[in-house]
């Protein structure tokens, strides 16, 4: 059945070559945990991506119940956490996953660093990776405010104070991020927009570049 | 070539099956709470609202429909608000009847004797829908079913209204 559907599509769209190009390539022995168990360190990048996919999916579902408004934000989070069936699980996935992305990404960075995989010709991919790191930190920072409880609010107060302490552009950056002089209605709307549209957009673009370069340059050789 | 040999699973097939199985299991584990969460409003039990007093004494209910406004607390997810609803309350054969004034055609508000040409009828100004005093829709006018009724209960001499119910 599935084979028939695939064949039907394939005769019309010729998807097999695309499929080959994306997925059908050999995994070198030195990165295959079946050959050397220690090669599991090469899985960290893929695991980071896996957690990112969970973050995107759970985040999409959370926005069905969340409203970025200072009057109702906390109530809507409380509602989805305590009244909606499995809301606690989905918010839990997003909450814990947020930390897990950063942990996995850090381990992935360590692997790349200690295997020297950032060296020529892969310097650009390292740069893209560092940009991805900043985007993920940004997602963590903006997402932290959204529940609009005391912890969220004062974490953002501290975060914006840090931004303000930057020389010359500090005041400008802080006002721009907060959407005004007060951390309030405009800050929440802005952080929400950045969290669900701007940064995920940047994330997907950078991930595309990251993966394209892996395919183009191949996996770095054994130590 | 024996029969048995035909049914042997190749290494590749085995791997395909197990990987698809494990992958499907993981995907299901990931997606099922999310999907259940999204479906929650549709799967939730519709809770029966309590009867609320409309501030009208049983003795004041006459044969003539009178429009009574009353406030209902609406719970909408994380947002609770008061909404004013109204009902035509009157006696018919001794029983108290409370009709919703929402026209069953397209949801306009009907008025008792809302048109001079049709005394003793509910009249909807939008498409000239008409109803008998007991709420039955009049054949030949747009509405296709009678006006909805509220559940009525008298407590301590005061009229209380509950859920709205469709008839016909």
């Amino acid at each position: 059945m599935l084979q028939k559907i695939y064949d039907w599509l394939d005769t019309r769209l010729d998807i097999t070559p695309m499929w080959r190009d994306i997925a059908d390539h050999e995994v070198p022995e030195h990165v295959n945990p079946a050959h050397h168990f220690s090669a599991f360190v090469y899985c960290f990048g893929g695991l980071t991506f896996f957690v990112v996919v969970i973050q995107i999916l759970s985040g999409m579902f959370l926005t069905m119940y969340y409203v970025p408004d200072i009057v109702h934000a906390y109530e809507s989070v409380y509602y989805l956490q305590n009244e909606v069936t499995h809301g606690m699980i989905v918010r839990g996935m997003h909450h814990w996953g947020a930390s897990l992305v950063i942990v996995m990404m850090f381990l992935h960075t360590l692997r790349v660093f200690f295997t020297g995989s950032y060296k020529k010709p892969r310097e650009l991919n390292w740069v893209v990776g560092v940009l991805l790191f900043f985007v993920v930190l940004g997602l963590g920072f903006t997402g932290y405010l959204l529940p609009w409880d005391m912890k969220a609010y004062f974490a953002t107060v501290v975060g914006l104070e840090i931004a303000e302490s930057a020389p010359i552009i500090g005041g400008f950056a802080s006002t721009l991020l907060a959407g005004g002089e007060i951390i309030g209605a405009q800050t929440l709307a802005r952080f929400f927009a950045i969290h669900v549209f701007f940064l995920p957009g940047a994330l997907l673009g950078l991930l595309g570049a990251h993966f394209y370069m892996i395919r183009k340059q191949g996996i770095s050789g054994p130590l | 070539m024996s029969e048995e040999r035909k049914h042997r699973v190749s290494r590749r097939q085995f791997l395909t099956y197990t990987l698809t199985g494990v992958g499907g299991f993981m995907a299901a584990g990931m997606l099922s709470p999310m999907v259940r969460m999204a479906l929650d409003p549709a799967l939730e039990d519709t809770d029966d609202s309590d009867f609320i007093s409309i501030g009208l004494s049983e003795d004041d209910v006459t044969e003539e429909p009178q429009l009574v406004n009353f406030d209902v607390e609406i719970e909408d997810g994380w947002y609770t608000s008061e909404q004013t609803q109204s009902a035509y309350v009157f006696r018919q054969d001794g029983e108290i009847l409370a009709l919703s004034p929402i026209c069953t055609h397209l949801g306009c508000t009907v008025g008792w004797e809302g048109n001079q040409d049709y005394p003793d009828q509910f009249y909807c100004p939008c498409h000239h829908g008409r109803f008998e005093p007991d709420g039955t829709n009049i054949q030949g006018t747009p509405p296709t079913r009678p006006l909805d009724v509220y559940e009525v209960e008298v407590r301590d001499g005061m009229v209380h209204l509950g859920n709205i119910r469709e008839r016909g």
Side-chain angles (χ1 to χ4, degrees):
Chain A
M1 180 64 193
L2 280 177
Q3 190 62 41
K4 272 191 177 156
I5 295 172
Y6 180 83
D7 290 341
W8 192 88
L9 284 172
D10 199 34
T11 47
R12 274 144 258 256
L13 299 172
D14 196 23
I15 49 182
T16 297
M18 275 189 269
W19 177 240
R20 281 230 169 96
D21 207 42
I22 294 166
D24 194 13
H25 54 275
E26 283 203 20
V27 178
E29 193 184 313
H30 71 284
V31 303
N32 187 344
H35 287 276
H36 311 282
F37 183 68
S38 60
F40 72 84
V41 292
Y42 284 90
C43 294
F44 291 143
L47 288 174
T48 311
F49 179 63
F50 179 60
V51 185
V52 164
V53 170
I54 294 181
Q55 290 305 97
I56 291 173
L57 285 173
S58 57
M60 278 164 60
F61 281 91
L62 286 175
T63 54
M64 280 191 176
Y65 290 96
Y66 178 77
V67 283
D69 174 80
I70 53 170
V71 181
H72 298 120
Y74 178 78
E75 284 300 318
S76 71
V77 173
Y78 187 90
Y79 178 79
L80 82 86
Q81 170 93 9
N82 296 295
E83 304 289 334
V84 179
T85 309
H86 289 178
M88 190 187 280
I89 297 177
V90 178
R91 192 162 100 91
M93 287 165 87
H94 205 72
H95 175 99
W96 297 107
S99 299
L100 199 57
V101 175
I102 292 174
V103 171
M104 296 316 296
M105 195 171 50
F106 181 65
L107 292 173
H108 174 58
T109 312
L110 285 183
R111 194 280 294 169
V112 172
F113 182 76
F114 284 114
T115 55
S117 305
Y118 54 85
K119 292 174 187 169
K120 194 187 173 192
R122 302 186 178 79
E123 311 97 315
L124 256 186
N125 219 4
W126 174 270
V127 171
V128 170
V130 171
L131 292 178
L132 275 167
F133 179 67
F134 288 133
V135 167
V136 170
L137 285 188
L139 282 163
F141 178 60
T142 50
Y144 208 84
L145 178 69
L146 301 185
W148 200 249
D149 53 10
M150 280 294 164
K151 193 169 69 163
Y153 180 82
F154 283 103
T156 303
V157 170
V158 171
L160 292 180
E161 295 269 345
I162 294 171
E164 200 166 357
S165 69
I168 305 167
I169 58 155
F172 173 76
S174 158
T175 310
L176 181 71
L177 279 171
E181 297 304 324
I182 302 169
I183 299 174
Q186 302 202 72
T187 318
L188 185 57
R190 195 163 271 251
F191 271 46
F192 179 73
I194 294 172
H195 187 75
V196 305
F197 291 115
F198 291 84
L199 290 181
L203 185 78
L204 291 178
L206 288 169
L207 278 178
H210 208 59
F211 295 157
Y212 176 76
M213 278 188 262
I214 297 171
R215 289 295 284 127
K216 209 71 188 167
Q217 299 162 343
I219 295 168
S220 59
L223 291 175
Chain B
M1 203 62 78
S2 68
E3 270 301 300
E4 231 176 283
R5 195 160 173 79
K6 258 194 209 161
H7 293 288
R8 281 187 67 178
V9 178
S10 69
R11 180 187 292 252
R12 174 168 292 262
Q13 255 179 330
F14 174 77
L15 279 173
T16 310
Y17 293 157
T18 38
L19 287 178
T20 314
V22 171
F25 187 76
M26 283 172 75
M30 230 169 77
L31 284 171
S32 55
M34 300 182 195
V35 171
R36 179 59 183 82
M37 181 197 183
L39 290 176
D40 195 53
L43 298 178
E44 209 174 65
D45 294 333
T46 47
D47 47 3
D48 290 343
S49 58
D50 296 330
F51 282 88
I52 50 166
S53 171
I54 58 169
L56 182 72
S57 166
E58 183 189 10
D59 305 328
D60 295 337
V61 181
T62 60
E63 304 272 319
E64 180 81 1
Q66 53 178 314
L67 186 64
V68 185
N69 292 319
F70 53 98
D71 290 329
V72 185
E73 196 168 79
I74 306 285
E75 270 193 43
D76 181 10
W78 54 88
Y79 182 68
T80 310
S81 59
E82 294 252 303
Q83 196 186 67
T84 303
Q85 291 187 3
S86 37
Y88 276 104
V89 185
F90 57 99
R91 268 182 202 282
Q92 195 186 40
D93 307 329
E95 288 278 302
I96 295 175
L97 208 59
L99 298 181
S100 157
I102 312 290
C103 183
T104 53
H105 175 221
L106 290 172
C108 292
T109 306
V110 301
W112 173 248
E113 299 187 331
N115 187 323
Q116 299 166 357
D117 298 340
Y118 305 108
D120 285 335
Q121 281 184 5
F122 291 100
Y123 175 80
C124 179
C126 292
H127 307 95
H128 313 293
R130 288 184 282 130
F131 301 87
E132 302 281 10
D134 68 351
T136 316
N137 52 311
I138 290 170
Q139 293 299 320
T141 67
T144 53
R145 61 182 167 83
L147 288 172
D148 297 340
V149 289
Y150 284 94
E151 284 171 7
V152 180
E153 228 181 78
V154 177
R155 291 179 189 167
D156 301 328
M158 298 297 281
V159 178
H160 286 62
L161 299 188
N163 282 330
I164 218 165
R165 195 163 47 78
E166 279 186 17
R167 295 183 294 175

